[in-house]
Amino acid sequence: MNVVLWTLDVVLCGSLVWLAVQTLATPDLFKAIVMFIVFGLLLALVWARLEAPDIALAEAAIGAGLTGALLLTAVAAITKRPEGKR
């Protein structure tokens, strides 16, 4: 069972690093925000794995949920603006 948990930890760590690089490297804002939300959810899973449920809940609620919704709203407002107002 120890090998399975160690493998899960390595996969989570690798996924976080890969998502962080992809989020910073993508030119598409919508795709970057979606990857940021997934990053926040994976990070919440890592905090839960580290036996810190309070931080995991805060990360899921604030990091992935609230911040992701605010970023999506901001991108929608920017792309909806008329050409002369930019």
Side-chain angles (χ1 to χ4, degrees), residues 21-60:
V21 170
Q22 291 300 314
T23 301
L24 293 174
T26 185
D28 183 20
L29 285 177
F30 181 76
K31 186 177 178 182
I33 293 170
V34 170
M35 285 193 286
F36 177 79
I37 293 170
V38 173
F39 180 83
L41 292 173
L42 274 180
L43 194 58
L45 185 61
V46 169
W47 283 118
R49 178 78 183 99
L50 291 171
E51 298 178 2
D54 50 345
I55 300 174
L57 286 172
E59 176 63 37

Side-chain angles (χ1 to χ4, degrees), residues 3-15 46 49-50:
V3 174
V4 174
L5 293 177
W6 186 82
T7 306
L8 175 66
D9 292 342
V10 169
V11 168
L12 282 173
C13 184
S15 298
V46 169
R49 178 78 183 99
L50 291 171

